[in-house]
Amino acid sequence: MCPKIQITAKGIRAALKKYAPHQSLIEYVWNGFDAQASIIKIDYVADALGNIDLLTISDNGYGIPHGKLQDKFEPLFESKKALENKLKKNLSAIHGKNGIGRLTFFTFARNASWKTTYTENKAKMTYEIYANAENINLYTGVNATPHQTTEQTGTTVTFTGIHTLTAPQMEDKFQEYILKEFSWFLALNRHRDFAIIINGVPVDYTKNIADSEKFELVHPETNTVFFLYYIRWDQRLNNEPSRYYYLNSEHKERWKEPTAIKNKGEQFYHSFFIESAYFDGFSFQSDPAQSQEALIAGTRSDTQFRFMRRKLANILRIKRRPFLKGFAEQLLLEYEQKKIISPDAKENLKQTIKILYEMQPRIFTSLNLEQKKLLVGLLGVVLESETRNKIPEFLATIIELSADEKIELNTIFCI
Ligand SMILES: Nc1ncnc2c1ncn2[C@@H]1O[C@H](COP(=O)(O)OP(=O)(O)O)[C@@H](O)[C@H]1O
Ligand SMILES: [Mg+2]
């Protein structure tokens, strides 16, 4: 047995104090997706004044087997669970990690009950669990006797005695909140009929899209096809950083990891979905124990993988450019203040520094004062000389320039 740490009701309240009602609600939505549900329904009934009498969150997941209830619903921080989740950090399927999400209802309701249906020995079984805010961690349910049913598996959580949550809030702020929480997840599972339906209306993740593009990328030597879907989000996502998601030919996520972009505080919130049959057997972790299998299945050192990543990084570099304009101005000011560039330097030198920064900020990030002076000085000399028209050609050897960028550089340097 793994060591467990018991937490008290007081401890739970203290740990959950920071949860706002909207955050609490989404914990129950995540619990549905964690149980492999594809459809989550949120339904509520409000009176004329906007007070909500009843709110339910139901999912079509695998339910909570009664035999496992004690283990699952015990208010424990389980070290084993923490460990398991650490291993799963590269998959979106499991959101829950601290084992307290189901207790957060007290921030907006006095009572919660779970009606759950699961499969046992090919039969569908159902039972109910009740909890209330005074004794958050006391459940009736362990003593319940499950009985057979014809219903599909899934769980419906019903909240009553609702406070600090009104119908106008649900229509306005909660809609916005749920988009920020789930738009990437709905986009990730867009080919698998996933949905969050609020009072009959499905949440539309495309409402949070500021810019998007679909590409097909083929690695010529191996004929590997990658289907790319780039999204830039209008609103910053709640807890999900900008990531690459790799999906297999069944549209299922196999792995996720941060994109190459080191955020400087610009509003460039993005997700990049890459789907390919190539990922069906791909080995994402470089585990030496798996190397034999990996030889057949594909690894990160494959030319097609490296090719794809290079293309993706370049697409992001180009998409990000407009967001760096302000930072480029700042850089120039800083260079003037530190006397790296003289305030009365020629306009084309200033322009060149700004463009280079927007194109590839990395060039400037790790330079010390001397290196900055050297770079700026040399640029100044080249710009004065006839060879300046060689700059675009030279840059093309280190940065994969877009057609627009080539034209831009030609107009600056070749006149
Ligand atoms: N809707 C649900 N469907 C199936 N299992 C659930 C559901 N809600 C909760 N559970 C079970 O109860 C456990 C505790 O849930 P929760 O308190 O949210 O913690 P966590 O999600 O971090 O594990 C879950 O791990 C899961 O096993
Ligand atoms: Mg949870």
Side-chain angles (χ1 to χ4, degrees):
M1 273 301 281
C2 292
K4 292 179 174 181
I5 308 155
Q6 183 91 39
I7 46 169
T8 62
K10 208 175 137 205
I12 294 167
R13 277 183 181 272
L16 303 183
K17 228 178 28 224
K18 60 177 201 325
Y19 276 79
H22 292 162
Q23 277 175 290
S24 305
L25 282 177
I26 59 115
E27 286 294 328
Y28 297 89
V29 178
W30 274 121
N31 278 353
F33 285 130
D34 284 355
Q36 288 170 22
S38 55
I39 311 275
I40 313 286
K41 290 181 180 149
I42 305 174
D43 291 285
Y44 58 91
V45 203
D47 65 16
L49 296 171
N51 299 311
I52 297 173
D53 300 324
L54 180 87
L55 190 147
T56 60
I57 299 182
S58 58
D59 67 66
N60 62 349
Y62 51 62
I64 311 167
H66 190 256
K68 291 187 182 159
L69 179 64
Q70 187 121 34
D71 192 33
K72 302 254 181 211
F73 264 43
E74 251 182 324
L76 299 169
F77 288 113
E78 216 175 302
S79 55
K80 178 163 168 266
K81 187 168 212 167
L83 195 75
E84 279 169 0
N85 277 289
K86 221 173 165 180
L87 295 173
K88 285 177 183 153
K89 78 177 193 325
N90 294 87
L91 282 175
S92 306
I94 304 290
H95 162 87
K97 55 185 177 297
N98 45 22
I100 52 177
R102 75 192 178 287
L103 305 169
T104 57
F105 70 87
F106 81 93
T107 64
F108 67 92
R110 274 197 295 281
N111 313 298
S113 68
W114 287 255
K115 183 182 180 298
T116 189
T117 303
Y118 59 99
T119 310
E120 193 169 73
N121 302 327
K122 291 191 179 139
K124 301 273 185 293
M125 305 298 288
T126 187
Y127 66 96
E128 286 190 47
I129 309 161
Y130 299 91
N132 66 59
E134 281 73 49
N135 281 304
I136 320 172
N137 54 343
L138 269 189
Y139 294 95
T140 61
V142 181
N143 300 326
T145 317
H147 57 270
Q148 212 163 331
T149 176
T150 53
E151 282 172 45
Q152 293 301 306
T153 67
T155 304
T156 298
V157 198
T158 302
F159 305 95
T160 54
I162 292 164
H163 51 85
T164 46
L165 199 66
T166 62
Q169 283 175 341
M170 287 297 289
E171 275 145 34
D172 184 24
K173 290 270 158 58
F174 184 64
Q175 285 280 349
E176 196 183 308
Y177 191 81
I178 211 147
L179 267 185
K180 288 165 75 163
E181 181 74 25
F182 290 102
S183 42
W184 65 274
F185 188 75
L186 293 172
L188 173 68
N189 293 293
R190 72 194 183 283
H191 292 309
R192 299 174 69 207
D193 297 323
F194 274 42
I196 301 170
I197 302 170
I198 307 177
N199 273 358
V201 184
V203 171
D204 178 6
Y205 75 85
T206 64
K207 280 191 183 152
N208 193 20
I209 295 181
D211 179 28
S212 74
E213 203 167 332
K214 287 181 180 161
F215 314 75
E216 211 182 289
L217 179 70
V218 184
H219 179 242
E221 284 89 59
T222 59
N223 261 325
T224 314
V225 185
F226 299 96
F227 300 96
L228 312 181
Y229 183 24
Y230 158 82
I231 294 178
R232 179 168 67 79
W233 301 108
D234 187 28
Q235 298 240 31
R236 187 205 188 102
L237 304 173
N238 280 343
N239 290 304
E240 190 71 4
S242 295
R243 279 178 163 142
Y244 293 129
Y245 302 84
Y246 304 103
L247 297 93
N248 65 13
S249 58
E250 290 177 330
H251 313 299
K252 279 197 184 152
E253 181 193 50
R254 291 253 10 248
W255 193 258
K256 66 174 172 185
E257 59 200 2
T259 62
I261 304 289
K262 280 244 183 331
N263 199 293
K264 293 180 173 305
E266 73 269 22
Q267 316 250 300
F268 183 52
Y269 313 121
H270 56 280
S271 300
F272 219 140
F273 306 97
I274 307 107
E275 196 171 301
S276 176
Y278 169 67
F279 295 130
D280 287 1
F282 192 87
S283 164
F284 284 93
Q285 264 163 324
S286 45
D287 178 358
Q290 289 184 347
S291 59
Q292 200 57 32
E293 178 196 349
L295 275 181
I296 313 158
T299 67
R300 288 172 185 274
S301 52
D302 291 353
T303 55
Q304 59 266 57
F305 188 81
R306 296 210 313 260
F307 165 85
M308 177 271 297
R309 280 296 296 262
R310 223 175 24 247
K311 291 286 179 194
L312 261 51
N314 202 50
I315 291 167
L316 286 180
R317 181 189 70 72
I318 294 162
K319 296 279 186 193
R320 185 193 188 197
R321 266 197 67 173
F323 295 84
L324 293 174
K325 280 211 183 310
F327 294 92
E329 300 279 353
Q330 263 178 31
L331 182 91
L332 209 59
L333 274 179
E334 185 202 312
Y335 276 26
E336 283 178 3
Q337 275 161 8
K338 292 189 176 155
K339 308 229 165 6
I340 296 163
I341 182 170
S342 117
D344 41 48
K346 291 226 170 98
E347 205 43 50
N348 68 348
L349 178 58
K350 294 182 182 177
Q351 189 73 2
T352 305
I353 291 169
K354 274 198 277 191
I355 284 186
L356 278 180
Y357 180 84
E358 284 170 28
M359 280 185 176
Q360 192 47 284
R362 262 208 317 255
I363 297 173
F364 296 86
T365 41
S366 55
L367 300 181
N368 65 26
L369 189 66
E370 273 180 351
Q371 291 164 331
K372 284 173 188 165
K373 283 184 173 167
L374 184 71
L375 176 66
V376 172
L378 288 177
L379 274 174
V381 173
V382 176
L383 286 172
E384 287 302 301
S385 82
E386 285 299 304
T387 51
R388 71 169 181 275
N389 61 10
K390 296 249 166 63
I391 293 181
E393 210 178 302
F394 167 68
L395 281 178
T397 66
I398 47 173
I399 305 174
E400 199 176 324
L401 300 169
S402 71
D404 284 348
E405 286 177 327
K406 281 180 188 157
I407 296 168
E408 185 184 2
L409 290 174
N410 282 332
T411 45
I412 292 172
F413 296 112
C414 301
I415 31 158

